[in-house]
Amino acid sequence: MAIFLSIKVHFQGVFINKPFCYSDGVHHVFDNVDFVGMSYNEFVGFLERFTQEKCEKLYYCQPDLQIPEGLTLTSNELQYQEFIDIAYQCGVQVHVYMDHFGTTVHVSKANEN
């Protein structure tokens, strides 16, 4: 079963502090793409081909939260599957942030005790 998602990819920018945000970047919306049919490495390759940049780290923002609370690192197959599951369950456009400089961003899961 194909699952088509809408994501807004932010790239060519940088995470800054005070207030914490992704700045000076551009974005592109991908609608109706079957990201479930891709592995994590294929997803990163897809983004790198489009942006023509090396992806050092990849984040998404959980749909019901704002940056920085909702920012979640995606660096392996399990985390990528969590991203796909959340995006599919919410049914909204999910924001994806591509870090091409390797900036250190500390993220934690929302609602963790």
Side-chain angles (χ1 to χ4, degrees):
M1 176 177 115
I3 299 172
F4 298 99
L5 302 176
S6 176
I7 64 169
K8 182 181 251 184
V9 178
H10 301 264
F11 59 100
Q12 293 181 350
V14 63
F15 287 105
I16 61 170
N17 205 358
K18 297 183 183 179
F20 188 84
C21 64
Y22 192 79
S23 180
D24 296 331
V26 296
H27 63 266
H28 182 80
V29 175
F30 292 98
D31 284 320
N32 299 321
V33 178
D34 181 13
F35 292 108
V36 170
M38 294 182 192
S39 69
Y40 169 74
N41 289 334
E42 290 169 332
F43 181 63
V44 170
F46 171 84
L47 295 177
E48 288 178 340
R49 283 189 302 279
F50 175 78
T51 63
Q52 297 182 0
E53 294 184 350
K54 175 84 172 121
C55 178
E56 294 293 328
K57 293 184 182 174
L58 191 63
Y59 302 87
Y60 70 93
C61 192
Q62 295 181 27
D64 55 344
L65 298 171
Q66 298 292 319
I67 288 180
E69 294 82 17
L71 202 60
T72 303
L73 177 66
T74 304
S75 62
N76 60 42
E77 201 66 42
L78 180 61
Q79 292 168 339
Y80 175 68
Q81 188 58 52
E82 289 174 2
F83 156 68
I84 294 297
D85 291 345
I86 287 170
Y88 179 66
Q89 289 170 4
C90 293
V92 297
Q93 186 178 81
V94 178
H95 292 258
V96 174
Y97 299 88
M98 190 172 142
D99 182 2
H100 55 279
F101 294 117
T103 307
T104 300
V105 176
H106 297 283
V107 297
S108 61
K109 290 272 188 188
N111 301 326
E112 272 188 1
N113 293 330

